[in-house]
Amino acid sequence: MSKNSSFSISNPDKLKLDAVQKIGLIVALLGVSILFVAWFGITFPYPAVFLSISALFIFIGTVVYAKQTYLKQPAGIKNNNVWFNSLSNRGVLGWFLGIVLTLFYVLLYWFPSYLGYDPSGAQNRGLVALFDPLSLFFNGKIASQWFVYGTLYTLLIASLGIKFMYKYRHNRYQLIRTVVVIVSQLFLAYLIPEILEGLNSDTPYFAKDIKNMWPLNYYFFEPWHLDNMINGGTLGMLYLVIGIFMFLVFTPIITYYVGKRWYCSWVCGCGGLAETAGDSFRQLSSKTVSSWKIERWMIHTVMVLIFIVTAVVLYGYFANSGEFLGISIYNYFSKPYGFLIGAMFSGVVGVGFYPVLGSRVWCRFGCPLAGYMGLFQRFKSRFRITTNGGQCISCGNCSTYCEQGIDVRAYAQKGENIVRASCVGCGICSAVCPRGVLKLENGPEEGRINPTDVLLGNDIDLMNYVNKKQ
Ligand code: SF4
Ligand code: SF4
């Protein structure tokens, strides 16, 4: 291609940083570099000081960078550069970040000593030792790798949540939702569980994230957990009763009224990270019909699996036996599920692959709680996204930025309501639509689904339509 050609496949709108953006970026990277130095085995002499500097630098640097970046451009999505940026389009930077994240998760789950964790509890080193003073402050114990993870997770959601709010500042739904996401993570998933752990260190019956519930919190009905709740006094029994009530009664009722968004996009920790830290990767979710088919099979298979595993575990608990049909329940049911789904899928793949497969891989293909709520949302709920098809200019923003891989534009072009089990109600499709076509609504059930559709007929109809377009 000639130098003067009017077309170029190189970056048409190269990202240029001004002085404030550069300062913000450098400050944030300095904060991150303290963590990396610690990860490589350096134990800092004053860990409380270095951890505070690191956390403050990451937070302040990110906020300064985000404010300067987003306030000088129109609110909402700006497509320029997204498909040319190495980080947001599976380039070298994207793959590099994916590999680092995956490696971090592998170490976190199976080799925490490489992060500096001392399993004997005597003396941590490196990265984990950096968090010892904070852990001692909250719960009187030196840090575990999970404390490090929880702290960094919360820091990421808070700092990138603010970035998200600058970006979507024109949309009240996004602003309120993100404040709720940050507050839920900070209090329900981090501060309260840490303080409770300090008060009940011998009977850890509460999940690290107290807003998790079965079947996402897959060990809820494990014998050790049941015993700890039953022996945990009033608080333990309360936790048991609330846990069952949440799943059996509260979740179906609230999902009926507002869809599964109340959990997936407002309070869930996995969803919170996907919405904030994963925002730069939402366009990478596959929109093909084959992904849609795989998604439906996978998420419901995982859901059936956890129902079976839990039934067997409860059978063993009440029969006072560790075996089912002569085989070990732990070795053949609980352990494989915990390894394959709880660790590999939700942790390593779910977050490690953000820069490659998009930010909601776990929520879309694996989360059994999302699968359970999705059934209500699809068949018995008032939630839908309405489309004012006449206004649609087919720009495709909505489909591009739907993290759940829903081809929203196909519905808009047909003027059909979007009633999909997988929709997490993040509202981004509506926030990025330049024509105000899409509206998240909780209306009467009647008329929500096209009356000519029978059960899955709507989806099959849409699949045929999308197939023809591809
Ligand atoms: S359809 Fe819209 S609200 Fe639903 S998941 Fe996709 S972007 Fe979010
Ligand atoms: S619904 Fe809005 S965002 Fe989606 S294709 Fe139509 S105009 Fe574009």
Side-chain angles (χ1 to χ4, degrees), residues 78-99:
K78 190 166 175 277
N79 291 308
N80 298 9
N81 220 40
V82 169
W83 297 112
F84 294 93
N85 188 318
S86 175
L87 193 61
S88 58
N89 188 24
R90 302 188 188 102
V92 177
L93 279 181
W95 278 98
F96 176 73
L97 180 64
I99 290 167

Side-chain angles (χ1 to χ4, degrees), residues 256 381-384 417 441-449:
Y256 170 75
S381 171
R382 294 163 62 90
F383 174 69
R384 88 291 305 273
N417 286 349
E441 291 183 23
N442 309 309
E445 270 190 84
E446 298 76 45
R448 190 177 76 112
I449 300 177

Side-chain angles (χ1 to χ4, degrees), residues 291-299 364-365 404 422:
S291 312
W292 185 4
K293 287 179 182 162
I294 293 169
E295 161 199 316
R296 285 151 62 132
W297 275 103
M298 279 186 78
I299 196 163
R364 182 181 174 190
F365 294 94
Q404 290 292 97
S422 61

